[in-house]
Amino acid sequence: MRKTMIAVLTVLLLGTAACSGKYKPGSDTAAADQGTQTGAAGETGATADCVDQTGGDATITISGFAYDVTCLKVSASNGITIVNEDPSAHSFSVEGGIVDEVVDSGQTAKVKSLSDLAPGTYSFNCRFHPPMVGTLIVE
């Protein structure tokens, strides 16, 4: 019984540490309502507002518990810089787990290359804050 209680408390403490910011559910309904894409097969959803950063390294800024872009087109040979301006840690996690970069509060992280991703359309999200979503198009 005591071991079970310790295990439950440990899980609760780890979960609280990961989500120590001031996240407000429903505060990013535009991102949550966006159509999502799946797979590397090139299937696309709503990508008309996609920001094209295929000419060099891309930057995504996180502020207000939202990504500054909800659709980003990049070249597989370039990197992505993630800037976290929020008081809480966030992640930039691409479906399939090939990219999973955690960025602490006030920090910047660099995804050096997307060369492990086949050309196609992928969804990305913050695994700590599920409404934070977007689309990544890799060329």
Side-chain angles (χ1 to χ4, degrees):
M1 174 75 171
R2 185 172 182 200
K3 287 183 181 180
T4 302
M5 183 62 108
I6 291 172
V8 168
L9 288 174
T10 301
V11 168
L12 288 174
L13 285 172
L14 289 174
T16 302
C19 288
S20 60
K22 298 176 184 174
Y23 172 66
K24 297 175 192 148
S27 65
D28 188 20
T29 55
D33 290 341
Q34 173 190 344
T36 57
Q37 294 74 174
T38 58
E43 303 142 18
T44 60
T47 58
D49 62 344
C50 206
V51 175
D52 187 342
Q53 292 191 2
T54 55
D57 286 355
T59 300
I60 296 176
T61 301
I62 301 170
S63 180
F65 289 84
Y67 296 108
D68 68 337
V69 295
T70 56
C71 183
L72 180 65
K73 186 185 295 185
V74 297
S75 173
S77 61
N78 293 332
I80 299 177
T81 299
I82 311 296
V83 179
N84 183 0
E85 296 179 346
D86 274 345
S88 177
H90 290 289
S91 77
F92 176 73
S93 304
V94 176
E95 73 176 280
I98 294 173
V99 176
D100 186 30
E101 194 70 46
V102 175
V103 188
D104 288 328
S105 172
Q107 299 297 308
T108 299
K110 175 89 171 169
V111 178
K112 294 188 178 128
S113 174
L114 302 171
S115 60
D116 290 338
L117 292 172
T121 302
Y122 299 86
S123 60
F124 66 85
N125 69 324
C126 172
R127 59 185 160 94
F128 305 133
H129 308 99
M132 293 177 59
V133 297
T135 301
L136 180 68
I137 300 173
V138 179
E139 294 187 339

